[in-house]
Amino acid sequence: MAFASGHSRRTVVGVVALLALAIPTTSAIAATVPVDPGPALSAGKVIIGTSQNLPSLEVTAAWNIGSYAAPQVSAYYTSGQAAIDQSSVTKAALSWTKNWVNRACGSQKPAKVKACKAAAVFDIDETLLSNYEWISTLAVPFSYDSAASNTANSNCTTPPIKATVALFDAFKRLGVTAFLITGRSENSRAVTESCLAKSGITGYSALILDPVGNTQNAGDRKADQRQALIEKGWKIGPSVGDQISDMSHGALGRGFLLPNPMYYLP
Ligand SMILES: [Mg+2]
């Protein structure tokens, strides 16, 4: 169960769970995803997820599942199973976070939670906004197309993921400050801010993007960006994302892993 953290960054990336393309016939229940952090790590952070994610396959670059499995991946979304799994994870995140603010702030009163600088981190793509529709209708479904991605971002054809937006709003009511840490480039700040607002995602404290010219992978960069928040006095409880790299290398209380059977990002 242990995962990530500390000084041995390169050893991390355990394979999370398996890609379960077969569509479950019953509702998923959020469960702890077993992650092997390797022998160099003796302690780490638990991740809660549903196992509907791609394994790393030992690759160090992003990979896309491609068209071979397109019918199964599409069925996962169109059957409603993705929404069920998303809701399962976000419910677990809210439950855990309510207990965490009690521990971290000594109260669940919003004013006290806010004053003690309790924070949550959200990723954007496949976390708050869905890319399923445009990726599934590419000439080669579930491949990567940077031009199509830029168009989708610019046109905001990335609908909000209801369960995660509800979690985001619940955190606001609880007094937990939200930060968005995304793999989108700093160059896309304006279109991203516009789309978030159009999608009803407002009131976050900061939108933290991938700096232009950055060479770090997502896991390393996002951990550094969370650590920078901690050094400013924020207490980070949940980190909510669709990739292990949204919750690797510590600087968080617990990872909540939403399903993404479409692509993997290190
Ligand atoms: Mg994402």
Short mmCIF file of all heavy atoms in Angstrom, two decimals, residues 120-125 127-128 178-184 204 206-210 218-219 221-229 236 239-242 245-246 251:
data_model
loop_
_atom_site.label_atom_id
_atom_site.label_comp_id
_atom_site.label_asym_id
_atom_site.label_seq_id
_atom_site.Cartn_x
_atom_site.Cartn_y
_atom_site.Cartn_z
N ALA A 120 -6.42 21.37 -0.91
CA ALA A 120 -6.56 20.19 -1.77
C ALA A 120 -5.98 20.53 -3.13
O ALA A 120 -6.05 21.67 -3.57
CB ALA A 120 -8.03 19.81 -1.92
N VAL A 121 -5.43 19.52 -3.79
CA VAL A 121 -4.89 19.72 -5.14
C VAL A 121 -5.73 18.91 -6.13
O VAL A 121 -6.06 17.75 -5.87
CB VAL A 121 -3.41 19.27 -5.21
CG1 VAL A 121 -2.91 19.25 -6.65
CG2 VAL A 121 -2.54 20.18 -4.36
N PHE A 122 -6.08 19.56 -7.21
CA PHE A 122 -6.80 18.89 -8.30
C PHE A 122 -5.98 19.00 -9.58
O PHE A 122 -5.45 20.06 -9.90
CB PHE A 122 -8.15 19.58 -8.58
CG PHE A 122 -9.21 19.32 -7.55
CD1 PHE A 122 -9.29 20.11 -6.41
CD2 PHE A 122 -10.15 18.32 -7.73
CE1 PHE A 122 -10.28 19.90 -5.47
CE2 PHE A 122 -11.14 18.09 -6.79
CZ PHE A 122 -11.22 18.88 -5.66
N ASP A 123 -5.94 17.91 -10.31
CA ASP A 123 -5.49 17.93 -11.69
C ASP A 123 -6.67 18.45 -12.55
O ASP A 123 -7.77 18.65 -12.02
CB ASP A 123 -5.12 16.48 -12.07
CG ASP A 123 -4.91 16.28 -13.54
OD1 ASP A 123 -4.08 17.00 -14.12
OD2 ASP A 123 -5.59 15.40 -14.13
N ILE A 124 -6.45 18.68 -13.82
CA ILE A 124 -7.57 19.14 -14.67
C ILE A 124 -8.07 18.04 -15.62
O ILE A 124 -9.21 17.60 -15.50
CB ILE A 124 -7.15 20.40 -15.46
CG1 ILE A 124 -6.94 21.57 -14.49
CG2 ILE A 124 -8.24 20.75 -16.50
CD1 ILE A 124 -6.56 22.87 -15.15
N ASP A 125 -7.24 17.60 -16.56
CA ASP A 125 -7.74 16.69 -17.60
C ASP A 125 -7.99 15.29 -17.07
O ASP A 125 -7.13 14.69 -16.41
CB ASP A 125 -6.75 16.67 -18.77
CG ASP A 125 -6.73 18.01 -19.48
OD1 ASP A 125 -7.74 18.32 -20.14
OD2 ASP A 125 -5.76 18.77 -19.34
N THR A 127 -9.81 14.77 -14.75
CA THR A 127 -10.08 14.94 -13.32
C THR A 127 -11.27 15.90 -13.17
O THR A 127 -12.32 15.52 -12.66
CB THR A 127 -8.84 15.44 -12.59
OG1 THR A 127 -7.81 14.46 -12.71
CG2 THR A 127 -9.13 15.68 -11.11
N LEU A 128 -11.10 17.13 -13.62
CA LEU A 128 -12.21 18.10 -13.59
C LEU A 128 -12.88 18.20 -14.96
O LEU A 128 -14.07 18.49 -15.04
CB LEU A 128 -11.70 19.48 -13.15
CG LEU A 128 -11.36 19.59 -11.65
CD1 LEU A 128 -10.52 20.83 -11.39
CD2 LEU A 128 -12.64 19.63 -10.80
N ALA A 178 -8.60 25.13 -2.73
CA ALA A 178 -8.22 24.27 -3.87
C ALA A 178 -7.12 24.92 -4.71
O ALA A 178 -7.16 26.12 -4.99
CB ALA A 178 -9.44 24.01 -4.74
N PHE A 179 -6.16 24.09 -5.09
CA PHE A 179 -5.14 24.48 -6.07
C PHE A 179 -5.25 23.52 -7.25
O PHE A 179 -5.46 22.32 -7.06
CB PHE A 179 -3.73 24.37 -5.47
CG PHE A 179 -3.45 25.41 -4.43
CD1 PHE A 179 -3.76 25.16 -3.09
CD2 PHE A 179 -2.92 26.64 -4.77
CE1 PHE A 179 -3.52 26.13 -2.11
CE2 PHE A 179 -2.68 27.61 -3.80
CZ PHE A 179 -2.98 27.35 -2.47
N LEU A 180 -5.12 24.05 -8.44
CA LEU A 180 -5.13 23.22 -9.64
C LEU A 180 -3.70 23.10 -10.15
O LEU A 180 -3.04 24.11 -10.40
CB LEU A 180 -6.02 23.84 -10.73
CG LEU A 180 -7.43 24.26 -10.31
CD1 LEU A 180 -8.25 24.66 -11.54
CD2 LEU A 180 -8.15 23.15 -9.56
N ILE A 181 -3.23 21.86 -10.27
CA ILE A 181 -1.88 21.61 -10.80
C ILE A 181 -2.05 20.71 -12.02
O ILE A 181 -2.48 19.56 -11.90
CB ILE A 181 -0.96 20.97 -9.75
CG1 ILE A 181 -0.81 21.91 -8.54
CG2 ILE A 181 0.40 20.65 -10.35
CD1 ILE A 181 0.17 21.41 -7.46
N THR A 182 -1.72 21.24 -13.19
CA THR A 182 -2.05 20.57 -14.44
C THR A 182 -0.83 20.38 -15.34
O THR A 182 0.14 21.14 -15.26
CB THR A 182 -3.10 21.39 -15.20
OG1 THR A 182 -3.33 20.80 -16.49
CG2 THR A 182 -2.65 22.82 -15.42
N GLY A 183 -0.93 19.38 -16.20
CA GLY A 183 0.10 19.16 -17.23
C GLY A 183 -0.05 20.10 -18.41
O GLY A 183 0.81 20.12 -19.29
N ARG A 184 -1.11 20.86 -18.44
CA ARG A 184 -1.27 21.83 -19.54
C ARG A 184 -0.17 22.89 -19.44
O ARG A 184 0.25 23.27 -18.34
CB ARG A 184 -2.63 22.52 -19.46
CG ARG A 184 -3.78 21.59 -19.74
CD ARG A 184 -5.06 22.39 -19.89
NE ARG A 184 -6.20 21.51 -20.09
CZ ARG A 184 -7.38 21.92 -20.54
NH1 ARG A 184 -7.57 23.21 -20.83
NH2 ARG A 184 -8.37 21.08 -20.70
N TYR A 204 -10.94 28.61 -7.12
CA TYR A 204 -9.67 27.98 -6.77
C TYR A 204 -8.65 29.07 -6.45
O TYR A 204 -8.75 30.21 -6.91
CB TYR A 204 -9.17 27.05 -7.88
CG TYR A 204 -9.17 27.66 -9.26
CD1 TYR A 204 -8.10 28.41 -9.72
CD2 TYR A 204 -10.26 27.49 -10.12
CE1 TYR A 204 -8.10 28.97 -10.98
CE2 TYR A 204 -10.27 28.05 -11.38
CZ TYR A 204 -9.19 28.79 -11.81
OH TYR A 204 -9.19 29.36 -13.05
N ALA A 206 -5.22 28.99 -7.04
CA ALA A 206 -4.23 29.24 -8.10
C ALA A 206 -4.32 28.13 -9.13
O ALA A 206 -4.63 26.98 -8.81
CB ALA A 206 -2.82 29.29 -7.51
N LEU A 207 -4.06 28.52 -10.37
CA LEU A 207 -3.93 27.56 -11.47
C LEU A 207 -2.44 27.45 -11.77
O LEU A 207 -1.82 28.43 -12.20
CB LEU A 207 -4.69 28.06 -12.69
CG LEU A 207 -4.44 27.29 -14.00
CD1 LEU A 207 -4.83 25.83 -13.88
CD2 LEU A 207 -5.19 27.96 -15.15
N ILE A 208 -1.87 26.27 -11.51
CA ILE A 208 -0.43 26.06 -11.65
C ILE A 208 -0.20 25.16 -12.84
O ILE A 208 -0.60 23.98 -12.83
CB ILE A 208 0.14 25.46 -10.35
CG1 ILE A 208 -0.15 26.39 -9.16
CG2 ILE A 208 1.64 25.18 -10.49
CD1 ILE A 208 0.08 25.77 -7.80
N LEU A 209 0.42 25.72 -13.89
CA LEU A 209 0.59 24.98 -15.15
C LEU A 209 2.02 24.50 -15.30
O LEU A 209 2.87 24.74 -14.44
CB LEU A 209 0.19 25.88 -16.32
CG LEU A 209 -1.28 26.36 -16.28
CD1 LEU A 209 -1.35 27.83 -15.98
CD2 LEU A 209 -1.99 26.04 -17.59
N ASP A 210 2.27 23.83 -16.42
CA ASP A 210 3.61 23.34 -16.74
C ASP A 210 4.40 24.50 -17.33
O ASP A 210 4.04 25.01 -18.39
CB ASP A 210 3.48 22.19 -17.75
CG ASP A 210 4.79 21.46 -17.97
OD1 ASP A 210 5.77 21.75 -17.24
OD2 ASP A 210 4.83 20.60 -18.87
N ALA A 218 5.91 14.75 -15.29
CA ALA A 218 4.79 15.28 -14.52
C ALA A 218 4.91 14.95 -13.04
O ALA A 218 4.63 15.79 -12.18
CB ALA A 218 3.48 14.75 -15.08
N GLY A 219 5.32 13.71 -12.74
CA GLY A 219 5.38 13.30 -11.34
C GLY A 219 6.36 14.16 -10.54
O GLY A 219 6.04 14.62 -9.44
N ARG A 221 7.61 17.17 -11.39
CA ARG A 221 7.23 18.59 -11.39
C ARG A 221 6.06 18.85 -10.44
O ARG A 221 6.08 19.80 -9.66
CB ARG A 221 6.83 19.05 -12.80
CG ARG A 221 6.27 20.46 -12.82
CD ARG A 221 5.84 20.89 -14.20
NE ARG A 221 4.86 20.04 -14.80
CZ ARG A 221 3.54 20.10 -14.56
NH1 ARG A 221 3.06 21.00 -13.70
NH2 ARG A 221 2.71 19.30 -15.15
N LYS A 222 5.05 18.00 -10.49
CA LYS A 222 3.88 18.24 -9.64
C LYS A 222 4.24 18.11 -8.16
O LYS A 222 3.71 18.86 -7.33
CB LYS A 222 2.74 17.29 -10.04
CG LYS A 222 2.14 17.66 -11.40
CD LYS A 222 0.91 16.83 -11.74
CE LYS A 222 0.22 17.42 -12.99
NZ LYS A 222 -1.12 16.85 -13.23
N ALA A 223 5.13 17.18 -7.83
CA ALA A 223 5.57 17.07 -6.44
C ALA A 223 6.29 18.35 -6.00
O ALA A 223 6.08 18.85 -4.89
CB ALA A 223 6.47 15.86 -6.27
N ASP A 224 7.14 18.87 -6.88
CA ASP A 224 7.84 20.12 -6.55
C ASP A 224 6.84 21.27 -6.38
O ASP A 224 7.00 22.13 -5.50
CB ASP A 224 8.85 20.47 -7.65
CG ASP A 224 10.09 19.59 -7.59
OD1 ASP A 224 10.25 18.83 -6.61
OD2 ASP A 224 10.91 19.68 -8.53
N GLN A 225 5.83 21.29 -7.23
CA GLN A 225 4.84 22.37 -7.14
C GLN A 225 4.00 22.25 -5.87
O GLN A 225 3.65 23.25 -5.25
CB GLN A 225 3.97 22.39 -8.41
CG GLN A 225 4.78 22.86 -9.62
CD GLN A 225 4.03 22.76 -10.95
OE1 GLN A 225 3.22 21.85 -11.13
NE2 GLN A 225 4.31 23.66 -11.87
N ARG A 226 3.70 21.02 -5.45
CA ARG A 226 3.00 20.84 -4.17
C ARG A 226 3.91 21.24 -3.01
O ARG A 226 3.49 21.91 -2.06
CB ARG A 226 2.55 19.38 -3.99
CG ARG A 226 1.41 18.96 -4.87
CD ARG A 226 0.82 17.61 -4.42
NE ARG A 226 1.79 16.54 -4.36
CZ ARG A 226 2.14 15.77 -5.39
NH1 ARG A 226 1.58 15.95 -6.56
NH2 ARG A 226 3.04 14.82 -5.24
N GLN A 227 5.18 20.84 -3.10
CA GLN A 227 6.12 21.17 -2.03
C GLN A 227 6.25 22.70 -1.89
O GLN A 227 6.35 23.22 -0.77
CB GLN A 227 7.49 20.54 -2.33
CG GLN A 227 8.51 20.73 -1.23
CD GLN A 227 8.09 20.13 0.12
OE1 GLN A 227 7.45 19.07 0.15
NE2 GLN A 227 8.41 20.81 1.22
N ALA A 228 6.23 23.40 -3.00
CA ALA A 228 6.32 24.87 -2.94
C ALA A 228 5.12 25.46 -2.20
O ALA A 228 5.26 26.46 -1.47
CB ALA A 228 6.41 25.44 -4.36
N LEU A 229 3.96 24.84 -2.36
CA LEU A 229 2.78 25.31 -1.61
C LEU A 229 2.96 25.04 -0.12
O LEU A 229 2.63 25.88 0.72
CB LEU A 229 1.52 24.60 -2.13
CG LEU A 229 1.09 24.92 -3.56
CD1 LEU A 229 -0.07 24.02 -3.98
CD2 LEU A 229 0.71 26.38 -3.70
N ILE A 236 -1.38 20.27 2.66
CA ILE A 236 -2.05 19.58 1.56
C ILE A 236 -2.57 18.23 2.05
O ILE A 236 -1.80 17.39 2.50
CB ILE A 236 -1.12 19.39 0.35
CG1 ILE A 236 -0.67 20.77 -0.16
CG2 ILE A 236 -1.85 18.62 -0.76
CD1 ILE A 236 0.28 20.70 -1.34
N SER A 239 -4.81 14.84 -2.90
CA SER A 239 -4.41 15.20 -4.25
C SER A 239 -5.25 14.33 -5.18
O SER A 239 -5.16 13.10 -5.13
CB SER A 239 -2.93 14.96 -4.49
OG SER A 239 -2.57 15.41 -5.81
N VAL A 240 -6.07 14.98 -5.99
CA VAL A 240 -7.06 14.27 -6.81
C VAL A 240 -6.63 14.35 -8.27
O VAL A 240 -6.44 15.43 -8.81
CB VAL A 240 -8.46 14.91 -6.63
CG1 VAL A 240 -9.51 14.11 -7.41
CG2 VAL A 240 -8.82 15.03 -5.17
N GLY A 241 -6.45 13.18 -8.89
CA GLY A 241 -6.01 13.17 -10.29
C GLY A 241 -6.37 11.85 -10.95
O GLY A 241 -6.99 10.98 -10.33
N ASP A 242 -5.97 11.72 -12.21
CA ASP A 242 -6.25 10.48 -12.94
C ASP A 242 -4.97 9.73 -13.26
O ASP A 242 -5.00 8.74 -13.98
CB ASP A 242 -6.97 10.79 -14.26
CG ASP A 242 -6.09 11.58 -15.19
OD1 ASP A 242 -5.81 12.76 -14.89
OD2 ASP A 242 -5.62 11.02 -16.21
N SER A 245 1.13 9.99 -11.40
CA SER A 245 2.03 11.15 -11.37
C SER A 245 1.35 12.39 -10.79
O SER A 245 2.00 13.40 -10.56
CB SER A 245 2.58 11.44 -12.77
OG SER A 245 1.54 11.55 -13.72
N ASP A 246 0.05 12.33 -10.54
CA ASP A 246 -0.63 13.42 -9.83
C ASP A 246 -0.46 13.28 -8.32
O ASP A 246 -0.90 14.16 -7.56
CB ASP A 246 -2.13 13.42 -10.15
CG ASP A 246 -2.42 13.77 -11.60
OD1 ASP A 246 -1.73 14.67 -12.13
OD2 ASP A 246 -3.34 13.18 -12.19
N ALA A 251 4.51 15.07 -0.45
CA ALA A 251 3.97 16.43 -0.44
C ALA A 251 2.45 16.41 -0.63
O ALA A 251 1.88 17.23 -1.36
CB ALA A 251 4.66 17.32 -1.47
#
